[in-house]
Amino acid sequence: MKGPNPAAVSELTYTADEMMTVAASRTLRDGMTCFVGIGLPSAAANLARATHAPGLVLIYESGTIGAKPAELPLSIGDGILAETADAVVSVPEIFNYWLQPGRIDIGFLGAAQIDKFGNINTTVIGGDYARPRVRLPGAGGAPEIAASCREVIVVVRQSSRSFVERVDFVTSVGYGSGPGDRERLGLTGAGPQKIITDLGVLEPDPVTFEFTLTGLFPGVSAAAAKERTGWDLAVAADPETIAGPSPAELDALRSLQRSTTNDR
């Protein structure tokens, strides 16, 4: 089967969020089990299932296993997830039987803040927990996902406010302060393997575990990524230029989004 015409792809227009969602979807492989959150992670997972990974098993925190929504769910409690699932189990079973023993291949997480070791904050902004500048929605199932999934992908828009030297509060542990911390804390999952942003992709250095810019989206420079990072971002010697969305990827993503807009 022939791939998309490069000339046609280069003429397409797409948003930074679409590029980020497509890049995240490409990390998912057919047959994997994926713990999905709402928002960009859900869009990426459903896009993967609609394109290159039809056998991807989507698991939502509400207890649905093997959900196959034809449109993006509005929340983890959206009825379309239960209606299309292979099974619906209790929330304790999702966590105690599926997640904590390491039975889920990959988890997708968002973040309000993330630091150079992949630690995530979704709890408070500001150093005083009792009187923060901003109180965020909180942890939900994210700490367990970060601890126990075999690998984790973080999807977050990049800015110096969200990419900080050290998070104000560690909601979900990445690599702590560096090598050895996950083992010391007894965390069984491998930890975050990629941070996918609206500019490119970061991956942990194999020695220091500090996140390094390894890939850039079309038209984005390493300098632009460094400007939107709150630490001295390390850049790979030869960052990959990641291909933009194909016509098939854009069509599938927009179809999922149109269904939600028009029908719900």
Side-chain angles (χ1 to χ4, degrees), residues 113-161:
Q113 283 184 333
I114 191 164
D115 65 27
K116 63 183 179 181
F117 290 114
N119 302 299
I120 290 172
N121 175 20
T122 56
T123 303
V124 293
I125 302 296
D128 186 343
Y129 178 84
R131 296 179 180 82
R133 294 200 307 274
V134 180
R135 190 169 295 281
L136 299 166
E144 295 292 343
I145 295 169
S148 303
C149 278
R150 292 173 184 167
E151 60 181 290
V152 169
I153 305 294
V154 184
V155 187
V156 58
R157 298 178 184 92
Q158 190 162 347
S159 74
S160 56
R161 289 197 306 172

Side-chain angles (χ1 to χ4, degrees), residues 219-237:
V220 178
S221 68
K226 288 178 74 71
E227 286 175 6
R228 286 165 60 176
T229 305
W231 70 85
D232 185 13
L233 178 64
V235 179

Side-chain angles (χ1 to χ4, degrees), residues 35 90-103 144:
F35 205 110
S90 69
V91 172
E93 181 175 330
I94 283 288
F95 283 89
N96 295 340
Y97 180 80
W98 293 99
L99 182 58
Q100 291 171 343
R103 292 187 167 97
E144 295 292 343

